[in-house]
Amino acid sequence: MVSLSCLFLTYGLIEGQHFKWSMYIVGILIISVVIFIIFYVQQKLRQKRDPLIPFALFEDRNYTLMNVVGVFFSIGVLGLMLLLSIYFQSILGYDAFRAGLTLVPASLISMCVSPFAGKFSNKIDGKYLVLAGLALTLIGMIWVFFIMNGHNYWVQFMLSMVITGFGNGLLISPMAAVAVKEVKDEVAGAASGVMNTVRQLGTVGGSAAVGALLQNRISAMNHGSEFESVFDISTKFGGHLSGYLTALRESLLLPMAAIALACIACAFVRKNAKRLSTNEVK
């Protein structure tokens, strides 16, 4: 049911601009909300008999906050990658392969840093590692915002990708560790599954929201004219790209705001939490 709700939500956000946010799109979004409410009520009624999502998990402050951080982090990072892919292909004229290669350093750095961050989370309070990772990610995004001028070479994005990748790698493992540190052993599996699902929902919903915002801004810059795809900007509008570059930069503010909100949520996480064992609970 959550997947179905997410499907309607994503479709509504992506196609909203095309249908000029008509009642058809409003109806799709309402259906998404209704399906989610039905799922919530169904799970509420099953709390005493093997629920899919134990709501008691969210009584743990750190677990709840780390889920919030995970959602905003997913929105921020996926939104950044989406906008950069469009920028490289539509503004700079890269093909998909070259655009992908330009983004590779972020993934490589993240992959290399993540194992060490997991080890350090046992020595340093994970909250601070997550905060540091979010801060670095935000710095990398701000860097991209200011160098996105339509006349870049791929090498100019290397440092921002390295900073962003380092930030991502620094926070992923500690974020999970902080989230489940106080969770009871008997629901640890459910806690991990719920957190991963919430992050995936943030990824899907966030990328759809960023895409919808970009379509809206491009349409506004083009005085409401329709376009087939944001990837066709350069071919359809020729050299008049300043307005569409502005639309991309304005859309980047949404992922940046998401990371900033993740930082705020992380600031309220309790320090030095101790994991509760089954015996301690009893």
Side-chain angles (χ1 to χ4, degrees):
M1 292 183 74
V2 173
S3 298
L4 186 60
S5 174
C6 193
L7 172 64
F8 279 102
L9 175 64
T10 304
Y11 176 81
L13 290 175
I14 292 176
E15 296 296 330
Q17 187 64 37
H18 176 72
F19 288 98
K20 300 185 183 300
W21 300 102
S22 63
M23 288 305 299
Y24 168 68
I25 293 297
V26 173
I28 292 292
L29 295 176
I30 290 175
I31 291 173
S32 172
V33 173
V34 169
I35 293 174
F36 184 81
I37 291 174
I38 292 173
F39 172 76
Y40 172 82
V41 172
Q42 187 250 2
Q43 286 298 302
K44 185 73 173 177
L45 296 174
R46 290 179 58 91
Q47 287 304 297
K48 294 184 178 180
R49 48 188 181 92
D50 194 25
L52 181 64
I53 301 178
F55 288 171
L57 286 172
F58 297 100
E59 295 175 2
D60 179 348
R61 173 175 159 182
N62 283 7
Y63 180 79
T64 301
L65 287 172
M66 281 297 107
N67 273 280
V68 173
V69 170
V71 169
F72 284 132
F73 171 71
S74 297
I75 293 172
V77 172
L78 267 295
L80 172 66
M81 295 306 169
L82 172 64
L83 293 174
L84 281 178
S85 296
I86 295 171
Y87 175 75
F88 291 145
Q89 295 178 67
S90 298
I91 304 296
L92 300 186
Y94 293 178
D95 58 28
F97 181 73
R98 188 179 179 187
L101 284 179
T102 308
L103 299 174
V104 162
S107 299
L108 288 178
I109 296 295
S110 177
M111 183 176 63
C112 293
V113 171
S114 187
F116 295 99
K119 293 179 181 179
F120 275 116
S121 65
N122 294 324
K123 301 177 181 179
I124 303 173
D125 195 318
K127 168 184 176 177
Y128 298 115
L129 290 175
V130 175
L131 271 174
L134 290 170
L136 287 172
T137 300
L138 184 57
I139 289 171
M141 295 171 76
I142 293 172
W143 185 290
V144 168
F145 180 85
F146 282 107
I147 67 173
M148 191 182 279
N149 56 29
H151 304 286
N152 309 98
Y153 292 103
W154 65 269
V155 71
Q156 293 176 274
F157 286 90
M158 284 297 99
L159 183 56
S160 63
M161 291 295 96
V162 169
I163 294 173
T164 301
F166 194 91
N168 292 353
L170 197 61
L171 69 88
I172 291 175
S173 295
M175 181 167 60
V178 172
V180 301
K181 204 166 189 178
E182 290 185 308
V183 170
K184 301 173 185 177
D185 288 340
E186 58 266 30
V187 291
S192 178
V194 169
M195 187 173 185
N196 287 330
T197 301
V198 167
R199 284 183 57 191
Q200 292 302 318
L201 292 176
T203 297
V204 174
S207 57
V210 172
L213 176 60
L214 177 59
Q215 291 185 64
N216 177 269
R217 298 315 305 145
I218 292 175
S219 180
M221 292 293 175
N222 198 42
H223 307 292
S225 297
E226 292 293 331
F227 53 91
E228 293 297 324
S229 168
V230 290
F231 288 98
D232 295 331
I233 296 172
S234 58
T235 57
K236 184 169 182 177
F237 300 106
H240 305 287
L241 295 176
S242 60
Y244 308 101
L245 181 59
T246 300
L248 277 166
R249 296 181 69 188
E250 289 178 352
S251 300
L252 184 56
L253 293 175
L254 177 56
M256 290 167 62
I259 298 298
L261 289 172
C263 290
I264 294 172
C266 188
F268 288 94
V269 170
R270 285 196 305 269
K271 298 186 295 182
N272 300 318
K274 294 182 179 180
R275 183 180 176 86
L276 297 177
S277 67
T278 305
N279 292 332
E280 288 175 322
V281 173
K282 291 179 179 179

